[in-house]
Amino acid sequence: MTAMVSTRERVPDSQHLRLYSLFRLGASGMLFGSQLWPYFRNAPTEPSVSFWLLLIFFLYAIAVSVSFESLQAERGLVLKAQTSLDIVFLVLMMHFLPGNQSGIGLLLIINIIFAGLISEGRFALFYAAIATIGILLENTFQVIHRNLPINDYSNAVLLSLSCFATAWLAQTLTARMQSSENLATQRGQDIEHLAKTNALITREMPNGVLVIDQYQQLKHYNQQACKLLGLEETMLQAAVQLHTPLERLMPAIMQLLQTAPASNATSDAVKLTINNRDLGIRFHAISENIENGVVIFIEDWSQIQTQAHQVKLAALGRLTANIAHEIRNPLSAISHATQLLQEDELQPGTGRMLQIISDNVQRLDQIIKDVLELNRRDRTNQDQFNINMFVQEFYQQFCAVEKIDLANFTLDLPTKESTIVFDRRHINQILWNLCKNGWRHSQQQVQSLQLKVVSDKSGQFIHITIKDDGGGIDPNIQPHLFEPFMTTEKTGTGLGLFIARELAEANGAKLNYSSSSNGTQFSLTVKKAIV
C-alpha cells in the first residue's frame, strides 16, 4: 500500500523546485524589464495594461522566491496552483504582447518542462491542456477581434502540440529518473545494512581481521586484531584515516605477504611471532589476484594447536572404539574357556589362578563396554516422560539388583509431577553409576544414601540429587574427578563419572557435585519439557 501511494504521489525534488522558482523570477524580470526600459527613454505619461500585469507577475515571482522554504512544506495544491498561475500569466503575456508571441511561446514550453519535472502522475498533461486552451482562446480572440486569417491557427496548433509533447516527454523522463533514484536509494540502504552486518560479524569473530587494498593500505580491522597484535585501537583508527601502508604498522606480516603466491592466498595458517606471541597468519585474496587487495586472518596459534589436538583425539576415539570392538571377540573366548576349566576338578592353586583370569576378563569387558558407550554418547534417542515415575521405577530396580535395604537408601519425590526430554537409557546409566558410587563410599547405614528430585525457583529446571554420608572426595582428586581412567578403586575402570558427564551434556543437561567431610552430593540438572 505504501509503495502504491509513493508511486502515484511522488514528492518533487527540492532542486527542481528551486530551479523552477529561479526560472520564474528570471522570466518575469526579463519581461518586466523589456516593458520598463522604454519608460526610462520616452517617459510616457500612462503605463499600459501589460506593464501592470508584468509588474504583478514580477512581484509574485519575488514573493514565491523569498518564501520558498516555507512553501516547501506545503506542496500539493499550493504547487499546482503556482504552476497553473504561471501558465495563465504567460498566456496573458502572449495576448498583451502580440509582437513577442514566439518568445513567450518558448517560455511557455520551458514552463511545461519544469511542470513535468515537479508534477505528480498525469498532472504534466493537465498543465499542457491548460496551456493549449489558453493558446487557442487567445488565437480565437485575435481572429475575431483583429480580423486575422483563419489559417493562422497553424502556429497555435503547433505550439499546443509542442506543449503536449514536451509534457509527455518530461513526465516520462522524470518517472524514469525517479525510478532510478529509488533504486539507487534502495541499493544504498542495502549496502549500508550489509556494511553494518559485516562490521558486526567481524567484531564478533574470534579471529583478528585486517583488510588492505591494492596499495597495501589498511582499510578495515576488528578489535580482536588489536588484542592479538598488541596494538591500541586508536593507532589502527589513525592508520585507516591516514591510509597508512601495512608495512609501517606490521613489517613482519607485510614481508610474509610478499612471499605468498601472487595468484592465490595461503590456505593454511603460517606461524609468526609478534610481540612475543605466536600467531597464525592466513591471507585470502579479495579478487582473483592477491595484488588487488587481501583479507588477513590472525589466529592465536595455541587455539590452532588445540583444534588440531581435538581432531587427533576424535580420530583416536574412533580408533579406540574399533580396537575395543575387535578385542571383545577373543575376550569372550577367553572368558568361555575359563568357565569351562573352572567346571573341572582342579588343584586349589589352579582354581585360584582361573578365578583371577575370570575377574580380570570381566574388568576388561566392562572397560570395553564403557569405551563403546562413550563412542556412542552423541547418538541420543530422546523422548518425553514423567520424571517422578521414571525415578520411582529406577529406585525399586536399583535396590533390588544391588540388594540394598530401602531404609538405607531413601527416595524423596515432589508432589507436583514434571516432564523432561531425555534418553531413558542414558539417564538410567547416569543415575545407576552415581548411586552405585554413592553407596560404595557411604557408611551403608540407615539413610546413608538419598535420592531426591526437586524443582528450582524459576520452575524451568529439575535437579536430581544423589547424596551420601561418606568422608567426601579428596581435595587432591577433585580437579581430576571427571577425567577418563581416573579412579581410586583397584577394580574400577575410571570411566564412570567421565561417561556420566558426557551423556548428560549430550542430552543438554549438567552434572555438578559438592563435597565435604560430611559426604558428597552429585546433582543432575535437566530442563523441563514444554507441555
Side-chain angles (χ1 to χ4, degrees), residues 138 368 488:
E138 195 279 332
I368 292 173
T488 57

Side-chain angles (χ1 to χ4, degrees), residues 269-272 278-281 299-306:
V270 179
K271 184 179 179 180
L272 185 65
D278 293 336
L279 302 176
I281 309 297
E299 306 173 70
D300 192 344
W301 189 255
S302 61
Q303 292 182 357
I304 298 177
Q305 291 180 323
T306 301

